[in-house]
């Protein structure tokens, strides 16, 4: 079976199940509500309309729009990561990998097909995340009389890089799924690392001398660097200057490549039971 045929087969398997659109819906709701809440807090604070003596982390008004628009990637990246992981581990869990390999005897081709579909679905998730973040954020900025920066090329470049980052996260997920065959274990590993381990390491990097140089190369930090802005930096999670956007993209690509390579060698070529 050719790569094109295998890719169509993988796309059909993914799109005929409910998992992808449920995750997409949760992504839109999660990113949209986060952008609305953060947008109101920061826009009201920057415009001097945050009453009751409340305060928000200080953000220059001219850098507020990119910060809010980046929320789709900085808080929503776990969703393409999960869908990429589920694309592979679901095959092991539901024992559909045997007919997959019977239809595509070359296992490398089967994995490449998942990579292609993963990148496409990751890009779609990225588009949904950008819309969910930019929509309420731009509306709130305009409502408080602040510049939405939608006429600036830098804002659109940030949105484009968000799509790239989300596609790369889906590839990382495919690599994780190929390496960790058990679906429950893979999901626990993904959530534990993205929601607890890395945020704690990045927070520690802002206080421990020298550690911040290493935490810049963590996958979440690399993704934020690729996008070009992150709420995490404002909240005190970045001690040193982030990588250049292209450096962040390269680091995230390396993570995906290494996980896919190790997963293929250590797990993908093993016997299927």
């Amino acid at each position: 079976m050719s790569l094109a045929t295998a890719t169509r087969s993988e796309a059909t398997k993914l799109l005929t199940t409910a998992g992808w659109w449920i995750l997409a819906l949760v992504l839109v709701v999660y990113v949209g509500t986060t952008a609305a809440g953060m947008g109101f807090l920061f826009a009201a604070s920057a415009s001097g309309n945050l009453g009751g003596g409340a305060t928000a982390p200080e953000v220059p008004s001219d850098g507020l729009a990119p910060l809010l628009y980046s929320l789709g990637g900085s808080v929503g990246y776990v969703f393409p990561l999960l869908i990429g992981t589920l694309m592979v581990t679901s095959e092991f869990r539901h024992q559909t990998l045997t007919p997959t390999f019977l239809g595509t005897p070359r296992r490398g081709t089967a994995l490449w097909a998942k990579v292609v579909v993963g990148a496409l679905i990751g890009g779609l998730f990225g588009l949904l995340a950008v819309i969910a973040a930019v929509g309420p954020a731009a509306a709130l900025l305009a409502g408080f009389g602040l510049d939405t920066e939608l006429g600036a090329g830098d804002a659109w470049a940030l949105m484009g890089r968000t799509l790239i980052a989300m596609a790369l996260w889906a590839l990382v997920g495919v690599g994780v799924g190929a390496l960790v065959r058990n679906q429950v274990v893979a999901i626990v590993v993904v959530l534990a690392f993205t929601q607890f381990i890395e945020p704690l390491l990045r927070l520690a990097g802002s206080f421990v001398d020298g550690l911040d140089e290493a935490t810049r190369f963590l996958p979440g930090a690399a993704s934020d660097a690729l996008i070009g802005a992150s709420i995490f930096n404002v909240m005190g999670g970045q001690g040193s200057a982030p990588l250049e956007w292209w450096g962040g993209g390269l680091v995230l690509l390396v993570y995906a490549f290494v996980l896919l390579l190790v997963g293929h060698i250590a797990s993908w070529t093993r016997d299927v039971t």
Side-chain angles (χ1 to χ4, degrees):
M1 184 183 290
S2 67
L3 177 59
T5 304
T7 300
R8 286 196 298 269
S9 175
E10 291 298 331
T12 301
K13 283 190 289 186
L14 175 65
L15 298 178
T16 52
T17 59
W20 76 272
W21 65 260
I22 291 174
L23 278 176
L25 179 61
V26 176
L27 165 66
V28 170
V29 173
Y30 177 55
V31 171
T33 54
T34 302
M38 291 287 185
F40 176 82
L41 178 65
F42 286 117
S45 177
S47 62
N49 293 308
L50 192 61
T55 59
E58 185 175 351
V59 180
S61 59
D62 57 352
L64 186 53
L67 177 68
L68 294 175
Y69 297 163
S70 72
L71 285 170
S74 59
V75 305
Y77 70 91
V78 69
F79 293 95
L81 178 57
L82 281 173
I83 195 63
T85 303
L86 292 173
M87 283 176 58
V88 184
T89 56
S90 293
E91 298 250 46
F92 290 106
R93 180 181 180 184
H94 299 294
Q95 300 181 348
T96 58
L97 200 57
T98 297
T100 294
F101 286 159
L102 289 175
T104 312
R106 293 184 177 179
R107 297 189 177 189
T109 301
L111 187 59
W112 269 112
K114 290 186 181 296
V115 166
V116 173
V117 175
L120 292 175
I121 196 68
L124 174 61
F125 275 34
L127 178 61
L128 293 174
V130 166
I131 294 172
V134 173
L140 284 163
L141 288 172
F144 281 100
L146 300 174
D147 186 6
T148 64
E149 300 187 30
L150 289 177
D154 288 346
W156 290 98
L158 181 146
M159 298 177 205
R161 292 195 300 268
T162 300
L163 269 63
I164 297 173
M166 298 289 261
L168 289 175
W169 274 115
L171 299 189
V172 172
V174 173
V176 171
L179 181 60
V180 185
R181 296 155 64 110
N182 185 287
Q183 188 172 77
V184 174
V185 173
I187 292 174
V188 169
V189 168
V190 165
L191 293 178
F193 185 83
T194 59
Q195 306 304 305
F196 297 103
I197 297 175
E198 180 171 353
L200 288 175
L201 287 174
R202 293 177 68 180
L203 183 61
S206 62
F207 296 103
V208 180
D209 291 338
L211 183 60
D212 56 343
E213 290 295 328
T215 56
R216 294 193 306 162
F217 294 93
L218 290 170
S223 177
D224 289 344
L226 168 59
I227 293 171
S230 173
I231 189 66
F232 197 86
N233 297 343
V234 177
M235 304 305 290
Q238 183 71 46
S240 61
L243 300 170
E244 296 290 337
W245 71 265
W246 57 267
L250 182 60
V251 168
L252 199 57
L253 179 62
V254 168
Y255 274 109
F257 175 78
V258 170
L259 285 168
L260 286 165
L261 179 62
V262 175
H264 181 272
I265 294 172
S267 177
W268 196 248
T269 55
R270 288 167 53 186
D271 291 338
V272 180
T273 57

